[in-house]
Amino acid sequence: MLIEREEALRLLSEAADRSVRARGEVLLVAGEAGIGKTSLLRHFVDNLPPLVGSAWGACDALFTPRPLGPLMDMAPALGPECQSLIRGGAEASDLFLGLIDAVERQNDGIVLVFEDAHWADNATLDLLKFLCRRIMALRALVIISFRDDEVGPDHPLTALIGDLPSRAVTRVELSGLSPEGVQ
């Protein structure tokens, strides 16, 4: 059960509805560690309409990051063509186009979750920039979650966010629960 997240769920639902009906959007879900970003997004994805697809990928706090780790996580949900590109060691540009093709094949739209983007490697940041700069031509909702207290002015994610098409971006900033919510 989610407590005091009705407004965030409303923003997520409205963005998903707009993005699968008309033009794609990007949702930035920010908050400190442990605030409930993952729980919110899991609840949201678990309650999508049956025909709307979803794919989930995570960035990891590794000393040697997995290049394009989130895309590798998402590949099974994106179809055999995307999986073949990844397994075949395709160049990044071909993988990026393969993701666009996979999104376009989703007749009823798709929600793509990129979790913990504050740990994203450079290839994943490039993928996000490529995808999000084309988002308004797609029927997709791209959700990027991150710890805002770990993303300062010099963080690469800050530069990425600054490059996103502002009219396609919605921010959802999670705050702590009220004393009543904690009880």
Side-chain angles (χ1 to χ4, degrees):
M1 172 199 286
L2 295 179
I3 297 173
E4 296 180 351
R5 296 295 185 234
E6 295 81 13
E7 178 64 11
L9 281 172
R10 183 186 66 76
L11 290 171
L12 285 162
S13 296
E14 289 175 358
D17 186 51
R18 287 189 305 270
S19 66
V20 300
R21 282 188 302 107
R23 66 176 175 82
E25 294 188 32
V26 178
L27 248 159
L28 303 173
V29 178
E32 64 186 36
I35 202 79
K37 297 179 296 296
T38 300
S39 295
L40 171 73
L41 295 176
R42 287 277 179 215
H43 178 83
F44 169 69
V45 168
D46 288 347
N47 290 286
L48 285 170
L51 296 178
V52 176
S54 68
W56 191 292
C59 302
D60 298 305
L62 302 173
F63 290 110
T64 306
R66 281 186 314 160
L68 298 171
L71 181 59
M72 290 180 200
D73 293 345
M74 293 177 178
L78 296 173
E81 296 89 352
C82 196
Q83 285 181 298
S84 292
L85 286 170
I86 290 171
R87 287 189 184 127
E91 295 291 322
S93 59
D94 292 329
L95 290 172
F96 295 2
L97 291 171
L99 174 60
I100 297 292
D101 289 343
V103 167
E104 288 176 336
R105 281 192 297 275
Q106 300 289 322
N107 294 331
D108 294 301
I110 189 167
V111 174
L112 302 172
V113 178
F114 290 82
E115 187 177 26
D116 292 328
H118 53 281
W119 290 324
D121 63 284
N122 289 337
T124 298
L125 293 171
D126 285 345
L127 172 67
L128 283 168
K129 183 182 285 191
F130 183 88
L131 175 62
C132 293
R133 291 180 53 88
R134 290 157 180 76
I135 195 64
M136 292 188 301
L138 302 170
R139 290 183 15 172
L141 175 61
V142 174
I143 300 174
I144 303 170
S145 76
F146 62 97
R147 294 180 183 173
D148 55 355
D149 58 338
E150 293 188 25
V151 177
D154 296 329
H155 194 286
L157 184 59
T158 301
L160 168 74
I161 291 170
D163 286 341
L164 299 179
S166 60
R167 62 186 188 158
V169 176
T170 301
R171 291 186 75 101
V172 177
E173 298 192 24
L174 298 182
S175 58
L177 299 177
S178 69
E180 296 81 19
V182 171
Q183 287 181 344

